[in-house]
Amino acid sequence: MADVLAFAEQRDGRIRGAAREAVSLAARLAGDLGGSAHALALGAPGMADDAGALGAVGAAVVHVGQHDALGGYNPDAYAPVVAERIRSGGYAAVIFPATTQGKDLAPRVAALLDVPLATDATEVTVADGALRIVRPVYSGKAFATISLEATPALVSIRPNVFQPEEQAGAGTVERFEPAVDPSAFKVSVVEQKSAGDDALDVAEATIIVSGGRGMKGPENWGLLEGLRDAIGDGVALGASRAVVDAGWRPHGEQVGQTGKTVAPKLYVAIGISGAIQHLAGMRTSQTIVAINKDPDAPIFNVADYGIVGDLFDVVPRLTEEVATLKSQG
Amino acid sequence: MDVIVCVKRVPDTETRIKISADGTSIDPTGVKYILSPYDEFAVEAALRTTEAAGSGEVTLVTLGDDAAQESLRAGLAMGADRAVLLEGETSMDGLATAKALAAEVGGADAPLVLLGVKAADDDQQQVGPMLGALLDRACVTGVTSFEMGDGTVRCHREVEGGVEVVDATLPAVLTITKGTYEPRYASLKGIMAAKRKPLEKKAAEAVAHRIAVSSMAPPPERPAGRIVGEGPDAVPELVRLLREEANAL
Ligand SMILES: Cc1cc2nc3c(=O)[nH]c(=O)nc-3n(C[C@H](O)[C@H](O)[C@H](O)COP(=O)(O)OP(=O)(O)OC[C@H]3O[C@@H](n4cnc5c(N)ncnc54)[C@H](O)[C@@H]3O)c2cc1C
Ligand SMILES: Nc1ncnc2c1ncn2[C@@H]1O[C@H](COP(=O)(O)O)[C@@H](O)[C@H]1O
């Protein structure tokens, strides 16, 4: 059998954008392998009505597993159900989004199935009937091309790298009720705090406005918030480690080797020098803009577009121009 | 309360990576090796745990070759009590690593096993949760801080868009990320003492490695960027390029 399964992550009852990326890749791989793409979404009863929309990115079948204990992510609830579905479906490959949830879940499933796992892939193709996977190693200082010598091939994919492709035709939704025994859970979620109502996580954003030590102090972040708001939806703030270590910004915003790895459509580095550990976290961004007063700052080596200048002059002007552009539609 | 920390020797994050002649690995010439940064956080967390409890030992375990002793000594110099070197092959297949580690830590009765959230070489971010699953223990990933409770450990972890508090029953496996555990520097005294601390070597359990690396390459070159201009006057041109050329706005 050459079907490919994609794990369709949901949070707060909604399918994540990363799920569409995984499903779309699964559809492409299944096409090349001569099978079809399936998606698997887990949630509380009644949640996953929009799961059917995964058909629009290529899922022939959307399996929706519902149970009270599956509403929020708990690895003890999810991992056995996912492993069981993979076993019974006889898939050739399984794609997970390499989000926080996916990176927690996929290794457990791999261990339960006793198969190896490739994390954070940036390229997946089919060669000679098997997956050929490219993934960054050494913090993105090298890329390894690998193959998995086991079936199913388990791969998690870096968010924002694989663009979902809309397809004609809708998938069928198949609901099932997995057996879940909460009394056997070894971990329980006691509390969840979100960083703010509309604060988008830097790892999920399509555009990131990121500030470094050149910002001089936390009181100046209004500048970056202004730019973020002018650009519109899907924009998150990021930060260098220097800024996080100084306590100007929370660690959740840190981009780089000891922070998050991001690959947005647009990364704007403002007052960031471009140390190798920072580049590790953002060099696979599609477009990089750097604003820095030092023309020799290493960030300009990876930036597609740079402006040499004082950020306190350049950023307000940028916000103004972007706002004008957006108002023209 | 005893704590086990799984640590790995990796190239210094400052090191320039060169691909070796065989095209499937990195050239180790001139590369400085260190204890993986997240593993340092884990060692720090372990030390603080036994210090707070006023009892218990911190044991370091690594899978690797003889050279990995150097990283074990670095952890011992921070204050860990003893170390175990499992002599065996390492590869990108984290499940193989997890199996070798499980054979060692499964037998010990340390209620807490700590790992880094990822090793700074293969970046697979998988050994911890795989180990948890193999041992059928509670496992929490991406922990920024934790507090011991009565038969449980309360973990704080970062998730997309916020933070989460998770209780895990002991024995538990935790992967540690950057948070409150800024690693201490080894004192000269610590470095001297580390030389005399017990370091046991044994053969690792033989397991299959099932990830084949067919090639390794430097990152794809980003097409040469350009300086659009100097100062605020360059902004309109930047915005035009972002809209029309890069299609990014
Ligand atoms: C193990 C390890 C892990 C690390 N992990 C990370 C990580 O995850 N993420 C990370 O970011 N770093 C990380 N670092 C730290 C990294 O090496 C750098 O120290 C850090 O990225 C520097 O942050 P910065 O660019 O904000 O500050 P700086 O290097 O101080 O750069 C500030 C920049 O702002 C510019 N500037 C100053 N004033 C202005 C102005 N008015 N207008 C315009 N430009 C101005 C300067 O020219 C300079 O280029 C790590 C280091 C180590 C050793
Ligand atoms: N060879 C090894 N020996 C001991 N621990 C390891 C080894 N490889 C990985 N680990 C542990 O697993 C964590 C995650 O590694 P990885 O899954 O490879 O990114 C590391 O931070 C270590 O704590």
Side-chain angles (χ1 to χ4, degrees):
Chain A
M1 224 202 291
D3 290 348
V4 180
L5 182 72
F7 178 71
E9 175 174 343
Q10 61 85 11
R11 214 164 66 214
D12 304 325
R14 273 191 311 229
I15 299 288
R16 311 297 304 173
R20 291 164 41 84
E21 296 169 15
V23 170
S24 182
L25 172 63
R28 170 160 64 76
L29 298 175
D32 291 347
L33 289 166
S36 54
H38 292 213
L40 171 61
L42 302 180
M47 70 56 54
D49 278 330
D50 62 346
L54 294 172
V57 281
V61 185
V62 182
H63 304 266
V64 179
Q66 295 176 322
H67 191 286
D68 285 328
L70 294 171
Y73 175 71
N74 180 325
D76 292 345
Y78 273 54
V81 174
V82 175
E84 171 46 36
R85 276 278 131 177
I86 296 173
R87 250 188 230 115
S88 59
Y91 298 101
V94 184
I95 311 296
F96 294 85
T99 51
T100 305
Q101 192 181 111
K103 284 192 244 180
D104 185 273
L105 175 65
R108 300 173 196 258
V109 172
L112 293 176
L113 297 173
D114 193 20
V115 293
L117 163 71
T119 304
D120 222 13
T122 52
E123 229 180 282
V124 186
T125 48
V126 173
D128 301 326
L131 298 195
R132 184 183 157 280
I133 299 153
V134 178
R135 56 178 302 272
V137 289
Y138 302 99
S139 318
K141 285 187 259 180
F143 281 72
T145 302
I146 64 170
S147 54
L148 299 170
E149 297 166 340
T151 307
L154 262 51
V155 183
S156 71
I157 58 169
R158 177 172 287 191
N160 282 332
V161 172
F162 296 83
Q163 297 310 317
E165 283 163 37
E166 300 280 339
Q167 312 213 340
T172 54
V173 174
E174 280 184 18
R175 293 202 160 76
F176 67 104
E177 284 169 30
V180 183
D181 175 14
S183 70
F185 292 177
K186 299 184 186 72
V187 301
S188 57
V189 178
V190 187
E191 198 185 336
Q192 273 176 324
K193 280 179 269 190
S194 77
D197 286 345
D198 43 26
L200 180 68
D201 192 84
V202 69
E204 292 181 306
T206 50
I207 298 183
I208 297 171
V209 172
S210 201
R213 185 146 46 199
M215 291 293 297
K216 303 279 191 286
E219 66 280 6
N220 296 324
W221 246 259
L223 269 184
L224 302 191
E225 286 161 8
L227 178 56
R228 174 195 64 191
D229 297 344
I231 300 172
D233 292 339
V235 192
L237 296 180
S240 73
R241 169 160 167 186
V243 156
V244 172
D245 283 355
W248 299 354
R249 301 300 299 177
H251 179 245
E253 290 182 5
Q254 184 179 319
V255 171
Q257 180 159 339
T258 41
K260 294 195 171 122
T261 302
V262 299
K265 199 167 80 171
L266 174 63
Y267 188 89
V268 189
I270 300 173
I272 293 177
S273 61
I276 190 143
Q277 297 91 352
H278 188 81
L279 302 185
M282 44 65 79
R283 70 178 311 148
T284 54
S285 304
Q286 283 171 46
T287 301
I288 299 172
V289 170
I291 299 168
N292 196 303
K293 67 175 183 191
D294 173 9
D296 297 323
I299 190 74
F300 287 122
N301 298 334
V302 300
D304 301 282
Y305 306 108
I307 291 185
V308 177
D310 189 332
L311 69 90
F312 294 98
D313 301 330
V314 176
V315 176
R317 180 73 185 273
L318 181 56
T319 305
E320 207 180 287
E321 294 286 336
V322 169
T324 311
L325 181 82
K326 293 284 170 181
S327 68
Q328 291 161 356
Chain B
M1 211 199 72
D2 292 341
V3 185
I4 293 175
V5 190
C6 301
V7 298
K8 190 176 192 190
R9 174 180 184 262
V10 302
D12 190 342
T13 57
E14 303 274 352
T15 301
R16 283 199 43 198
I17 296 293
K18 273 185 293 176
I19 309 299
S20 64
D22 68 6
T24 63
S25 58
I26 63 157
D27 180 354
T29 348
V31 172
K32 189 182 149 221
Y33 285 84
I34 56 165
L35 189 61
S36 187
Y38 290 100
D39 300 357
E40 279 194 338
F41 296 136
V43 173
E44 177 65 32
L47 293 172
R48 290 195 203 172
T49 306
T50 51
E51 283 161 8
S55 68
E57 287 200 327
V58 174
T59 302
L60 308 177
V61 179
T62 196
L63 168 71
D65 57 17
D66 225 40
Q69 281 187 65
E70 189 193 351
S71 312
L72 291 175
R73 293 284 176 210
L76 292 171
M78 284 174 70
D81 299 288
R82 54 177 60 251
V84 180
L85 169 60
L86 301 173
E87 291 176 293
E89 191 189 336
T90 58
S91 75
M92 204 183 281
D93 184 354
L95 189 56
T97 304
K99 285 177 181 171
L101 294 173
E104 175 65 20
V105 311
D109 56 22
L112 214 50
V113 178
L114 306 183
L115 298 92
V117 75
K118 69 175 161 188
D121 51 0
D122 288 337
D123 290 342
Q124 279 275 58
Q125 307 180 58
Q126 54 181 227
V127 172
M130 284 174 168
L131 181 63
L134 291 175
L135 295 175
D136 197 21
R137 292 188 189 176
C139 174
V140 185
T141 61
V143 174
T144 52
S145 70
F146 61 85
E147 301 109 41
M148 302 306 300
D150 189 12
T152 59
V153 54
R154 173 157 291 192
C155 305
H156 303 262
R157 63 189 297 257
E158 271 176 6
V159 294
E160 272 115 1
V163 292
E164 206 173 75
V165 184
V166 178
D167 278 348
T169 55
L170 298 177
V173 175
L174 313 182
T175 73
I176 308 295
T177 190
K178 185 171 186 276
T180 39
Y181 303 113
E182 196 52 44
R184 64 193 67 185
Y185 285 103
S187 64
L188 191 57
K189 196 163 141 251
I191 295 168
M192 297 309 290
K195 295 187 177 141
R196 295 185 304 273
K197 287 181 178 169
L199 192 159
E200 187 189 348
K201 291 192 213 177
K202 44 171 119 163
E205 186 136 305
V207 291
H209 292 255
R210 293 177 292 171
I211 295 187
V213 179
S214 54
S215 72
M216 214 175 268
E221 286 287 323
R222 292 194 71 89
R226 69 179 112 143
I227 302 287
V228 178
E230 283 184 25
D233 292 343
V235 167
E237 176 64 1
L238 172 69
V239 171
R240 188 190 68 79
L241 288 166
L242 286 177
R243 162 139 267 191
E244 289 168 19
E245 193 177 84
N247 212 2
L249 273 182

